[in-house]
Amino acid sequence: MAIYHMEAKVISRGSGRSAVAASAYMSCSRMYNNYDGIQHDYTRKHGLVYQEVMLPPMAPAEWKDREHLWNAVEEAEKTKDSRLAREFVVALPIELDNSSNISLLQDFIQKNFVDMGMCADFAIHDTDGHNPHAHILLTVRPLNEDGTWQYKTEKEYLCIKDGEEKGFTASEFREAQKEGWEKQYRYKSGKKKIYLTPSAAQEKGYERVDKHPKSTRYGRQNPISEQWNSDKQLCLWRANWADTVNRELECRQIDTRIDHRSFSDQGITEQPTIHEGYIARDMEKKGMISDRCELNRQIRSDNRLLGELKNQVAKLTKSIKESIPAIAEALENIRGAMIIFQYQMLHNEMQTVSAKDWIKMTKPVIEKYKATKQEIHKKQEERKILKTKKQKLSILNPLQHYQLNQQITTLTEDIEELKSRKNFLMGEIYCHNDTEMKNAESTLKQQSTFLEKLAAQRQSLNEQLGKNRKKFIDLKLSVDSEKSEELLDARVSFRDIVRDRIVSRLRDVYGKKFEYNRLNDASDYIDGCIREDPYVFRERARQKAWKQEQERSELKKLKNKIKKVER
């Protein structure tokens, strides 16, 4: 089934990553990074289905070669913590074939990224044939019309005029200076250092101690970069991905859809994959419905109801008198108890199927998740050891430094890939973080216990059905055949009363989960067990109602005649 998964990341030097390494890793290729001199070779990596570089019109043609593209990005960024690229990991619908997924992805990337001026490098992976997903690398620095890079942020100087402070970029300051705006510099005033304009400092004879003018901390962001980095734009991309996939599925007449919204935005208060009774207990503390806890409550309610019905049947059996109305009432009450037992049986079967389906869906995902988590931990430990080894290594061993850098970079990309796989697995069972996955693991361990409870309840219900069926048949056979019509009329009188009582009982136990369709199925099944045709009762009830209506009509006519005589 198609699922929604769209994970956004930023590749930066500050986190120990490089754009060249990330591109080489996802495209399973060999690329050389001019920035740090490391050769990244991932040609032996498996799972690549398709790869492509898409460029806006102003980008140089040679950037079609991803090695040229990402080395140009690395060259443009100067600082040790520079943001190099933006990465998206998206789940592709398993209902579509590879060619359809490729065209779907190309259309989405073109309209949402390339048309906005970004260079896009993407690859489709599917290592096991059941997890098609795509990695999309995007440039974060806008391009000029001539193919050169724009600034991401520009220095913004805080200037003073008539006591008012205002920010200007270098180009803006040239015009503002003509209007009397001045930059501020740091001057020494006694033991303190304060910001003043050159004119004000000259009047007081202060000495300037810093050549750098006062400016905002982060500068002024490029408006294009600001739009690309905004939360609003990310939400728009997430919605557009869902719309793109859903349009494709609809065009191909595939009856499934994905939704980018959170559960709360969709108005869902429980996990959609768990139909009855299996959500972590702590969800209740957050004000959500915990079906797993509700299952325990449901079983206890069922058991209480079962005990009440047993007592009721026992009392009825003892109190039956040798009269047709009493026997009719007893028969209808025993039949009503059997219907309740069967309703519980159907509810039990639904819970059992739901639990087994949940286990079947969840267990392999959790096993893969745990294995992936262990692999991440293992690789993180390996990377930690290599970093420690690198720190202790003398600078007189450049070859070993190079080899260690290469190994650390490879491990970093492996870890990022595994983290994406871990997040993808969490999304498959609608979990959002490790805590929710831990709750899911805990829930999985308890499923066999719940299934045992359901099996025990099912056995008890079967036994009660058998006992009550025997009681019903024995009591019915105790009535002379000559009185069968009288008994039928008496039972018709009690049937609606007993049904109302059944509905009330079941509503008390099941609340909003009570279903009339399930009650009707239970009634039909019990009538089959006791070999009675419900049509006979409905027809007799109709005849009785018609007869009563006729009697009321005759009575009304008689009253009218009496009134005429009295006049």
Side-chain angles (χ1 to χ4, degrees):
M1 183 183 72
I3 65 168
Y4 184 88
H5 178 80
M6 189 179 203
E7 180 185 1
K9 304 178 182 180
V10 171
I11 296 174
S12 71
R13 289 195 185 120
S15 62
R17 301 187 69 189
S18 79
V20 173
S23 178
Y25 188 90
M26 76 174 195
S27 61
C28 302
S29 59
R30 182 190 295 110
M31 292 169 60
Y32 182 79
N33 189 348
N34 296 332
Y35 178 81
D36 55 19
I38 296 177
Q39 178 87 21
H40 303 284
D41 188 353
Y42 300 108
T43 52
R44 294 184 181 181
K45 188 176 181 295
H46 299 290
L48 181 67
V49 176
Y50 182 81
Q51 52 80 22
E52 184 182 349
V53 175
M54 299 175 68
L55 303 175
M58 71 285 286
E62 61 266 23
W63 286 0
K64 268 290 184 180
D65 181 341
R66 55 174 48 86
E67 187 171 15
H68 282 85
L69 168 63
W70 296 113
N71 269 307
V73 168
E74 295 273 2
E75 184 182 358
E77 306 300 339
K78 307 300 182 184
T79 62
K80 63 181 181 180
D81 60 349
S82 291
R83 290 158 55 100
L84 302 169
R86 181 177 287 105
E87 181 182 16
F88 284 98
V89 183
V90 295
L92 298 171
I94 200 168
E95 290 82 358
L96 301 180
D97 56 26
N98 286 337
S99 61
S100 300
N101 274 328
I102 290 168
S103 60
L104 168 74
L105 202 56
Q106 287 172 330
D107 179 61
F108 174 74
I109 292 171
Q110 182 66 46
K111 291 178 180 177
N112 288 274
F113 303 130
V114 177
D115 287 351
M116 292 184 76
M118 302 179 204
C119 302
D121 180 6
F122 74 93
I124 297 176
H125 293 175
D126 191 5
T127 51
D128 57 5
H130 303 289
N131 179 26
H133 62 281
H135 293 257
I136 308 168
L137 282 186
L138 304 165
T139 52
V140 294
R141 188 183 284 269
L143 285 167
N144 292 309
E145 290 301 321
D146 60 357
T148 56
W149 296 112
Q150 293 184 24
Y151 64 89
K152 286 193 289 188
T153 57
E154 192 174 6
K155 198 79 171 178
E156 185 178 37
Y157 302 105
L158 292 172
C159 303
I160 290 281
K161 175 187 173 184
D162 299 331
E164 180 187 358
E165 188 176 67
K166 189 176 179 181
F168 296 96
T169 63
S171 57
E172 291 170 345
F173 179 70
R174 283 193 288 270
E175 296 298 322
Q177 192 175 21
K178 298 174 183 177
E179 299 174 4
W181 290 90
E182 291 184 88
K183 291 181 180 179
Q184 303 177 74
Y185 296 89
R186 190 175 289 180
Y187 291 87
K188 191 172 183 181
S189 174
K191 293 183 178 181
K192 295 182 179 179
K193 294 177 182 178
I194 59 174
Y195 279 105
L196 289 172
T197 60
S199 58
Q202 189 175 6
E203 290 177 5
K204 296 181 179 181
Y206 290 161
E207 178 187 355
R208 194 164 83 180
V209 295
D210 193 347
K211 66 178 181 179
H212 300 290
K214 186 180 181 182
S215 60
T216 55
R217 184 175 181 183
Y218 298 109
R220 187 183 298 178
Q221 196 174 24
N222 186 314
I224 299 174
S225 296
E226 189 174 15
Q227 181 189 357
W228 293 357
N229 294 331
S230 67
D231 291 338
K232 182 179 178 181
Q233 185 61 53
L234 178 59
C235 291
L236 186 61
W237 283 329
R238 288 176 58 82
N240 289 348
W241 173 244
D243 292 341
T244 303
V245 173
N246 288 335
R247 276 198 304 271
E248 186 69 19
L249 293 171
E250 186 177 2
C251 288
R252 297 181 181 274
Q253 298 182 338
I254 298 172
D255 189 21
T256 185
R257 298 293 180 268
I258 63 174
D259 198 321
H260 70 285
R261 296 173 298 166
S262 65
F263 290 163
S264 58
D265 289 341
Q266 295 179 53
I268 299 174
T269 58
E270 57 185 69
Q271 294 197 36
T273 53
I274 304 171
H275 305 294
E276 291 285 343
Y278 304 99
I279 295 181
R281 185 180 296 275
D282 67 337
M283 300 306 284
E284 281 201 337
K285 296 176 183 177
K286 299 176 183 177
M288 298 173 69
I289 297 173
S290 174
D291 283 354
R292 177 163 63 88
C293 302
E294 191 172 339
L295 175 60
N296 277 328
R297 291 194 292 270
Q298 190 68 69
I299 291 173
R300 286 193 290 270
S301 297
D302 287 347
N303 290 337
R304 282 196 297 273
L305 181 59
L306 183 63
E308 289 173 10
L309 291 171
K310 286 180 183 178
N311 294 333
Q312 183 184 7
V313 170
K315 288 178 182 177
L316 282 170
T317 304
K318 289 179 181 179
S319 63
I320 289 176
K321 298 179 181 178
E322 294 300 322
S323 67
I324 294 300
I327 294 174
E329 184 179 5
L331 286 172
E332 286 303 305
N333 280 322
I334 294 172
R335 175 180 173 273
M338 294 172 70
I339 289 172
I340 291 176
F341 290 145
Q342 182 58 28
Y343 185 98
Q344 288 180 287
M345 186 77 76
L346 294 174
H347 185 75
N348 180 292
E349 289 173 2
M350 181 270 294
Q351 288 176 317
T352 302
V353 170
S354 177
K356 288 180 177 178
D357 288 346
W358 190 84
I359 291 171
K360 184 179 178 182
M361 179 198 73
T362 307
K363 188 174 181 180
V365 175
I366 288 179
E367 287 174 351
K368 290 179 185 176
Y369 167 84
K370 289 169 74 175
T372 304
K373 216 175 161 187
Q374 288 174 357
E375 201 171 345
I376 289 172
H377 180 71
K378 182 182 175 183
K379 288 186 179 291
Q380 285 175 335
E381 288 298 315
E382 288 179 27
R383 184 174 64 175
K384 188 176 178 181
I385 292 168
L386 290 176
K387 284 184 174 180
T388 304
K389 189 176 178 181
K390 179 185 170 184
Q391 288 174 354
K392 294 179 180 179
L393 189 65
S394 170
I395 58 172
L396 301 177
N397 296 307
L399 180 59
Q400 289 185 34
H401 265 284
Y402 172 83
Q403 291 171 343
L404 286 172
N405 280 335
Q406 198 170 31
Q407 291 173 20
I408 290 168
T409 304
T410 299
L411 282 171
T412 301
E413 291 304 319
D414 285 342
I415 290 166
E416 289 298 320
E417 175 77 7
L418 288 168
K419 284 180 179 178
S420 294
R421 189 191 304 172
K422 186 186 80 167
N423 290 337
F424 184 86
L425 288 168
M426 286 194 291
E428 282 196 50
I429 55 174
Y430 299 93
C431 289
H432 301 87
N433 51 52
D434 291 332
T435 302
E436 291 184 13
M437 282 299 290
K438 191 175 181 180
N439 291 334
E441 287 181 50
S442 176
T443 302
L444 185 62
K445 290 176 183 177
Q446 299 178 38
Q447 296 313 297
S448 57
T449 305
F450 286 124
L451 288 174
E452 287 172 8
K453 286 185 180 180
L454 290 170
Q457 185 193 49
R458 192 160 54 249
Q459 183 179 354
S460 176
L461 289 169
N462 268 321
E463 290 173 0
Q464 288 302 313
L465 276 172
K467 289 177 183 178
N468 281 288
R469 182 176 179 276
K470 186 176 183 306
K471 285 180 183 178
F472 182 91
I473 292 172
D474 290 345
L475 183 58
K476 188 177 178 182
L477 291 175
S478 69
V479 180
D480 292 338
S481 57
E482 296 174 359
K483 297 182 178 181
S484 58
E485 291 297 316
E486 184 184 353
L487 180 65
L488 179 62
D489 285 336
R491 288 183 64 189
V492 167
S493 300
F494 285 111
R495 180 149 293 197
D496 287 342
I497 298 171
V498 173
R499 182 176 174 84
D500 290 342
R501 195 183 301 149
I502 291 170
V503 171
S504 177
R505 284 273 186 97
L506 293 175
R507 281 191 183 280
D508 288 343
V509 174
Y510 296 100
K512 292 181 180 179
K513 292 188 178 181
F514 168 73
E515 294 182 14
Y516 272 105
N517 289 338
R518 190 176 295 159
L519 175 61
N520 292 334
D521 290 343
S523 300
D524 292 343
Y525 178 84
I526 294 303
D527 286 334
C529 285
I530 57 179
R531 299 177 184 176
E532 288 191 339
D533 186 357
Y535 174 77
V536 173
F537 285 84
R538 287 196 292 269
E539 184 62 24
R540 182 57 65 98
R542 188 187 66 78
Q543 291 174 3
K544 188 175 180 180
W546 180 81
K547 186 177 179 180
Q548 289 174 346
E549 182 61 31
Q550 288 293 107
E551 290 174 353
R552 282 194 292 270
S553 178
E554 290 295 330
L555 181 61
K556 188 176 180 181
K557 288 178 182 178
L558 183 59
K559 287 180 178 179
N560 289 336
K561 285 182 181 180
I562 292 171
K563 287 180 180 179
K564 287 180 181 179
V565 171
E566 288 176 348
R567 289 173 187 172

